């Protein structure tokens, strides 16, 4: 499969037979807070096609990947369970070593037999792989070729396959630097998702409505201005922590518990950004008219004009969901990223459940993306009623806004270098 409009090589165009392949996957999965175990396996399932293809080529496969938390920058987990689950699904062993690229990992890669596969330790153990480093240090891909990860693993590999479109917005060494010197190609899932998105983005049915929720709000904020300026989005409905930040920007006092939460997660700066977005696009950004909280073990709701300062607001209220559902029913295209509230709790699942139902029931072309978003859809509705279930969340909304993503730029550069060398 090749997509000329993408100007990216697919893995089918590389000779990978018997070669040592560095394979960057995104199997970053929602984790159950109580057990610390993976609670949705969608990204593992979606990675199987590429891994089976590599196995059929008898490649020696070193998988590099990350596992984060539901909040930004909590990246503490080993990836042993990911390896166990992949082994079960594939029917052949995928080993694990809890070292991303040190001497033990390098020895394990050198020892891979033809058809062997191993996941190396969580990439986020490395400072150079976290967003804080990316945002503060701003290395170019050329400079990243000198990072510990790239100079440790690069010389051991003969090819680089990236199947991590859902991390395409991250300009980290594992995503953009190996392409500087290794023959590089996109995996099956990457190709499939980008091709489907390009098709719908070329002429989306209008109006085009975005729903932005969840707790990882930096990605949504990063794209919203551009999406509304460029006309990619006609309206944005807010939920989750994003909605609370917008309400605070409107001067609504959500109380100490909410303000403390926003502050403790380092999200305070987004209130100013929200104010600027409202000044520029207030007519297109919808915020909740009511919110839900817990009192004496019961769900309670209040209009935002009457919220009480000591409660923590963790779901949209019924009136908001009804108003949003009407907008979704009349949309031409719907893009959903992030749940409406704390959907894992039975008390606070109804906002997400009802909105996902409204999305599925709408005649609009519907796209949902992101770990928690997909988990909620697979829990609450028949996800096959949606037009596209994308593994990407943050990357999806940024791609839709028209932003040139670091991964796409790196893959296109590798592709054009290859053509010039021929
Ligand atoms: C995602 O889930 O959006 C990607 O895996 C990137 O994860 P990150 O937001 O922790 O960088």
């Amino acid at each position: 499969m090749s997509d000329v409009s993408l100007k990216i090589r697919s893995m089918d165009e590389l000779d990978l037979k018997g070669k040592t392949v560095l394979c960057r996957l995104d199997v970053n999965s929602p984790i159950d807070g109580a057990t610390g175990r993976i609670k949705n396996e969608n990204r593992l399932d979606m990675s199987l096609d590429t891994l089976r293809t590599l196995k059929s080529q008898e490649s020696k496969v070193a998988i590099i990947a990350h596992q984060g938390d539901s909040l930004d920058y909590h990246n503490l987990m080993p990836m042993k369970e990911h390896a166990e689950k992949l082994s079960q699904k594939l029917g052949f062993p995928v080993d694990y070593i809890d070292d991303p690229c040190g001497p033990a990992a390098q020895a394990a890669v050198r020892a891979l037999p033809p058809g062997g596969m191993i996941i190396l330790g969580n990439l986020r153990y490395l400072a150079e792989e976290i967003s804080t480093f990316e945002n503060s240090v701003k290395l170019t891909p050329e400079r990243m070729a000198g990072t510990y990860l790239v100079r440790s693993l690069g010389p051991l590999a003969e090819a680089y396959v990236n199947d991590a479109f859902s991390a395409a917005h991250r300009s980290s060494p594992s995503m953009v630097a190996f392409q500087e010197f290794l023959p590089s190609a996109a995996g099956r899932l990457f190709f499939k998702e980008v091709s489907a998105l390009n098709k719908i983005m070329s002429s989306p049915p209008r109006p085009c409505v975005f729903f932005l929720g969840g707790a990882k709000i930096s990605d949504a904020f990063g794209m919203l201005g551009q999406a509304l300026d460029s006309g990619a989005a006609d309206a944005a409905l807010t939920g989750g922590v994003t909605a609370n930040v917008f309400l605070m920007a409107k001067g609504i006092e959500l109380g100490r518990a909410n303000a403390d939460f926003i502050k403790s997660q380092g999200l305070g700066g987004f209130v100013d950004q929200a104010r600027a977005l409202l000044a520029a696009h207030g007519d297109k950004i919808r915020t909740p008219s009511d919110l839900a909280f817990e009192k004496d073990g019961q769900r309670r709701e209040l209009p935002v004009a009457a919220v009480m300062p000591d409660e923590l607001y963790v779901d949209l209220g019924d009136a908001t969901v009804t108003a949003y559902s009407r907008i979704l029913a009349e949309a031409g295209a719907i893009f959903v990223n992030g749940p409406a509230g704390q959907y894992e709790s039975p008390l606070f699942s109804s906002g997400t459940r009802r909105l996902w139902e409204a999305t599925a029931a709408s005649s609009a072309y519907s796209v949902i993306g992101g770990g928690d978003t997909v988990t909620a859809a697979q829990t609450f509705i028949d996800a096959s009623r949606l037009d596209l279930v994308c593994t990407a969340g943050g990357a999806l909304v940024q791609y839709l806004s028209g932003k040139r993503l670091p991964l796409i730029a790196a893959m296109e550069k590798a592709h054009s270098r290859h053509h010039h060398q021929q």
Side-chain angles (χ1 to χ4, degrees):
M1 177 179 56
S2 181
D3 183 333
V4 179
S5 69
L6 272 173
K7 301 191 209 75
I8 289 174
R9 249 189 316 178
S10 106
M11 65 188 292
D12 301 323
E13 297 168 63
L14 278 192
D15 174 16
L16 301 171
K17 203 157 183 50
K19 299 254 168 79
T20 302
V21 177
L22 203 54
C23 181
R24 178 45 160 119
L25 297 182
D26 186 357
V27 287
N28 182 25
S29 305
I31 300 293
D32 186 315
T35 62
R37 293 182 66 83
I38 294 172
K39 71 174 179 200
N40 182 276
E41 300 179 10
N42 186 50
R43 281 185 177 165
L44 293 166
D45 291 331
M46 300 301 274
S47 300
L48 299 178
D49 193 7
T50 286
L51 296 179
R52 285 200 185 103
T53 306
L54 290 168
K55 178 79 174 176
S56 72
Q57 299 286 309
E58 290 282 289
S59 305
K60 305 168 188 174
V61 185
I63 298 169
I64 50 173
H66 73 282
Q67 175 62 54
D69 202 328
S70 53
L71 295 166
D72 282 351
Y73 317 131
H74 297 208
N75 308 297
L76 311 170
M77 294 201 29
M79 302 187 69
K80 192 161 190 292
E81 194 190 356
H82 302 69
E84 286 164 3
K85 289 206 182 299
L86 283 177
S87 303
Q88 279 162 17
K89 289 172 192 291
L90 289 163
F92 55 80
V94 178
D95 295 332
Y96 178 68
I97 182 163
D98 201 32
D99 173 10
C101 63
Q106 294 168 34
V109 175
R110 279 199 196 88
L112 280 167
M117 251 177 223
I118 188 165
I119 304 188
L120 308 182
N122 190 344
L123 285 170
R124 297 281 168 87
Y125 294 164
L126 301 170
E128 60 205 35
E129 281 285 319
I130 65 173
S131 315
T132 321
F133 182 92
E134 175 190 332
N135 296 332
S136 317
V137 184
K138 296 191 170 53
L139 292 185
T140 60
E142 292 87 341
R143 293 286 306 280
M144 286 184 209
T147 57
Y148 182 48
L149 176 76
V150 181
R151 63 190 157 71
S152 301
L153 298 183
L156 307 180
E158 295 162 281
Y160 171 80
V161 169
N162 186 302
D163 207 19
F165 173 64
S166 46
H169 53 322
R170 300 290 181 229
S171 182
S172 59
S174 68
M175 293 296 295
V176 301
F178 291 104
Q179 295 91 326
E180 291 291 314
F181 58 93
L182 285 176
S184 300
R188 291 279 168 87
L189 176 65
F190 180 166
F191 247 88
K192 210 169 105 193
E193 295 196 316
V194 174
S195 301
L197 289 174
N198 284 354
K199 205 164 146 211
I200 176 72
M201 280 164 73
S202 64
S203 56
R206 300 281 171 175
C208 192
V209 178
F210 282 43
F211 176 82
L212 302 171
K216 265 167 74 170
I217 69 174
S218 53
D219 297 325
F221 269 84
M223 58 68 75
L224 195 51
Q226 189 167 348
L228 292 167
D229 279 341
S230 68
D234 297 307
L237 314 178
T238 61
V241 181
T242 306
N244 289 5
V245 170
F246 271 103
L247 290 172
M248 288 164 76
K250 283 184 163 177
I252 290 162
E253 288 291 338
L254 288 182
R256 164 123 11 119
N258 297 278
D260 285 352
F261 175 79
I262 303 266
K263 225 168 150 190
S264 71
Q265 300 307 323
L267 305 177
F270 289 111
V271 178
D272 287 338
Q273 281 191 41
R275 218 171 273 128
L277 284 165
L278 286 168
H281 301 288
D283 53 330
K284 294 179 179 165
I285 300 172
R286 298 291 299 255
T287 57
S289 61
D290 58 349
L291 295 170
F293 62 100
E294 185 258 348
K295 185 100 191 157
D296 303 326
Q298 302 288 316
R299 178 188 169 102
R300 306 281 170 88
E301 298 191 359
L302 279 174
V304 293
V307 290
M308 292 186 299
D310 290 329
E311 309 302 342
L312 191 60
Y313 297 97
V314 288
D315 194 17
L316 299 174
D318 275 342
T320 303
V321 175
T322 301
Y324 284 5
S325 298
R326 272 195 211 113
I327 296 170
L328 296 175
E330 281 162 22
I334 301 171
F335 296 96
V336 174
N337 177 224
Q342 276 180 11
Y343 71 97
E344 306 90 333
S345 150
L347 282 187
F348 301 117
S349 59
S350 78
T352 305
R353 177 194 301 269
R354 286 185 56 204
L355 286 175
W356 275 215
E357 267 165 10
T359 302
S362 169
S363 57
Y365 187 89
S366 54
V367 182
I368 67 157
D372 282 308
T373 312
V374 172
T375 306
Q378 291 177 339
T379 311
F380 297 144
I381 62 168
D382 172 7
S384 69
R385 291 164 66 208
L386 302 163
D387 291 290
L388 182 63
V389 176
C390 188
T391 55
L396 169 72
V397 288
Q398 294 205 18
Y399 191 65
L400 293 170
S401 76
K403 196 170 161 193
R404 187 163 162 74
L405 300 183
L407 173 65
I408 305 285
M411 298 305 288
E412 289 188 351
K413 187 174 165 196
H415 181 74
S416 91
R417 186 183 323 106
H418 168 78
H419 273 278
H420 287 119
Q421 281 166 356
Q422 277 188 333

